[in-house]
Amino acid sequence: MRALRWSHVVAYDAERQVWLPVDKAGWEHREFAVYVWRADRHGEDTKTERSRRSLKLPARCVSALHELYSAQAGALLDAGGDFPPPPDRLVFPKPDGRMQGPMDVLRAFRKVADRAGLDGSEWTTRELRHTFVSLLSDNEMPIKDIARLVGHSSTRVTETVYRHQLRPVLESGATQMDRIFPGDAS
C-alpha cells in the first residue's frame, strides 16, 4: 500500500463499461477497485507475476479513500496546487509527498492499535493480512479464492503460511451433515 498511487484506484463507469482512475471517473459510481500491479520492492514490481491483481473494494474502504482524496485535494488547493491531485500522486504519502518507509507505517499502525485498546508494541501490520485470511476462512470462503486475493500462486502457500488461521477442511463434513440433519442427536 505504500506504493499505491491514485491512478491505481479505479471506479467502474457503467455507462461507458470501463474502469477509470477516480480522478477521471469521479466518486459517483457503485464499484471501485485497486490495481495491485506495483510494489515498493523488486524495482517497483510485485513479488510474482501472479501477485498482480485487481481487488474490488468494500464500501467502507471506498468511503475512507474518498475522504482521503478530498482532504488531499483540499490541502493541494489551499497550497495553491492543482485539483484533482496528479494521478501519479501517492495515496498514503509522507507529509512532503515522498513514499513512507516501513518504519513510518509501523509507527502509525502501532498508534492506531494503542488507540484501539491494544498494546501497539506487540502488533505489526502483518497481523492485518493474517486477520483478513482468518475472517474470510471463518466465513467459509474457499481457500482457492483466499489464495487469489492474497496473491499466492497456489493454495499450498496459503495453507502453509496461514495454517493456524484457516478452518480445517476436515470440519466441513460434520458441518454439512449438521446442516442436512439439524437437531439434537440424543
Side-chain angles (χ1 to χ4, degrees):
M1 296 309 288
R2 294 186 303 124
L4 183 65
R5 298 182 183 279
W6 283 113
S7 58
H8 289 147
V9 178
V10 295
Y12 185 69
D13 185 328
E15 187 175 304
R16 293 190 262 181
Q17 296 186 348
V18 65
W19 288 94
L20 295 170
V22 291
D23 65 317
K24 289 186 173 70
W27 293 91
E28 308 305 318
H29 298 279
R30 296 177 67 186
E31 294 183 90
F32 293 83
V34 291
Y35 294 152
V36 184
W37 295 347
R38 302 174 63 90
D40 62 327
R41 61 162 111 197
H42 303 289
E44 294 196 1
D45 200 0
T46 55
K47 192 173 179 182
T48 67
E49 200 167 308
R50 179 93 182 213
S51 295
R52 292 182 205 129
R53 59 208 183 276
S54 299
L55 301 173
K56 186 175 175 184
L57 293 169
R60 180 177 296 224
C61 291
V62 172
S63 178
L65 285 169
H66 186 200
E67 281 183 42
L68 179 61
Y69 183 88
S70 298
Q72 287 181 1
L76 281 173
L77 288 173
D78 290 347
D82 295 329
F83 180 81
D88 63 340
R89 183 177 172 87
L90 292 166
V91 174
F92 305 108
K94 285 183 170 187
D96 65 5
R98 292 182 300 135
M99 186 184 300
Q100 294 194 46
M103 290 309 296
D104 297 319
V105 174
L106 181 60
R107 279 190 292 275
F109 176 74
R110 287 184 169 166
K111 285 179 187 175
V112 170
D114 285 336
R115 284 196 303 262
L118 303 169
D119 181 354
S121 67
E122 295 181 3
W123 291 82
T124 67
T125 55
R126 193 86 183 138
E127 272 87 20
L128 294 175
R129 188 174 168 92
H130 285 261
T131 300
F132 177 73
V133 169
S134 294
L135 289 170
L136 295 178
S137 178
D138 286 349
N139 284 280
E140 301 177 7
M141 177 172 270
I143 191 161
K144 181 176 120 187
D145 294 340
I146 295 171
R148 287 181 55 220
L149 282 169
V150 297
H152 291 156
S153 58
S154 72
T155 60
R156 185 179 336 157
V157 174
T158 311
E159 291 167 337
T160 302
V161 174
Y162 299 99
R163 67 184 170 276
H164 300 296
Q165 282 83 18
L166 296 172
R167 288 182 146 212
V169 174
L170 298 176
E171 185 180 305
S172 62
T175 301
Q176 289 303 321
M177 291 305 288
D178 286 342
R179 189 180 61 76
I180 295 167
F181 300 107
D184 190 7
S186 52

